[in-house]
Amino acid sequence: MGRLPFFAGNWKMNKTVGEALDLVKGLKAAISGVIGVEGEVEVAVAPPFTALYAVRKEIEGSSIFLAAQNLYWEEKGAFTGEISPLMLKEVGCHYVIIGHSERRQFFGETDETVNRRIKAALAQGLKVIFCIGETLKEREGGKTFSVIERQMEGGLKGLDDREMGNMVIAYEPVWAIGTGKTATPEQAEEVHRFIRGKIEKLYSRGVSEEIRIQYGGSVTPENIKGLMNQPNIDGALMGGASLKAESFSKIVRFKEL
Ligand code: PGA
């Protein structure tokens, strides 16, 4: 069986509760029939923490999965401002995004803290969207593959084959995020192929063939088809395009474009 295409909308620090509800209602209507029974694609939304509960109520009974944008690795305690894996599970999250480049850039995340977060999420039964990607400087310095390799080795440290079954990798070149500058399908495919090869080396052929690798960075209805035509691109993690039901749903319905 092939890999089920997976589209996730990362709303970042956008949408009040009211706005989040409007968006998810619009999205539900616009993608009905595409997901679910036919099982053609999988869809998740990652609202800010404040809107998780309301959005969960709204998507109940639909095939849209709920995702969080981050977590802290402790179960509970004196960690002011943080959210635990248990809290996310209980509020209805199925997925959590970990290691997004904005977390690494602005909030001091390292490969080691990303690894701790991933382990805590998996231990609580959450599936993980693990983000990796190089900066423009690293790409121009010919370091793309070594950076990806370091992020993978660090982030996945200690995970076994079974745990890898609950992982999704999102390749997001930092220079393409929110810039309107997408990687070409060929540029993305080259890195996706490398990532899959690295998973095979770290785990097995079986694990590498099953794991889904999303592309992220200025994905739009205009460029999704070319990306999805690549053999190692299994979906997208979208920022800007996921903030409107129209563009989000067009991307999910890429086969009809
Ligand atoms: P973008 O963001 O689609 O707005 O470029 C992607 C992401 O950061 O996940």
Side-chain angles (χ1 to χ4, degrees), residues 4 26 43 64-65 69 92 110 117 135 140 169 176 182 185 220 228:
L4 188 65
V43 175
I64 302 174
F65 287 111
Q69 299 175 18
T110 63
R117 284 180 163 83
T135 61
E140 287 175 344
I169 296 178
T182 345
T220 63
M228 291 305 289

Side-chain angles (χ1 to χ4, degrees), residues 63-88:
S63 321
I64 302 174
F65 287 111
L66 190 65
Q69 299 175 18
N70 181 34
L71 51 62
Y72 188 58
W73 55 77
E74 295 288 346
E75 198 175 303
K76 60 181 174 186
F79 304 101
T80 304
E82 296 300 316
I83 305 278
S84 80
L86 178 67
M87 291 166 179
L88 295 182

Side-chain angles (χ1 to χ4, degrees), residues 10 12 100 172 176-178 217-218 237-240:
N10 172 13
K12 308 190 180 182
H100 191 279
E172 302 205 301
I177 296 180
S218 298
L237 181 57
M238 313 162 250

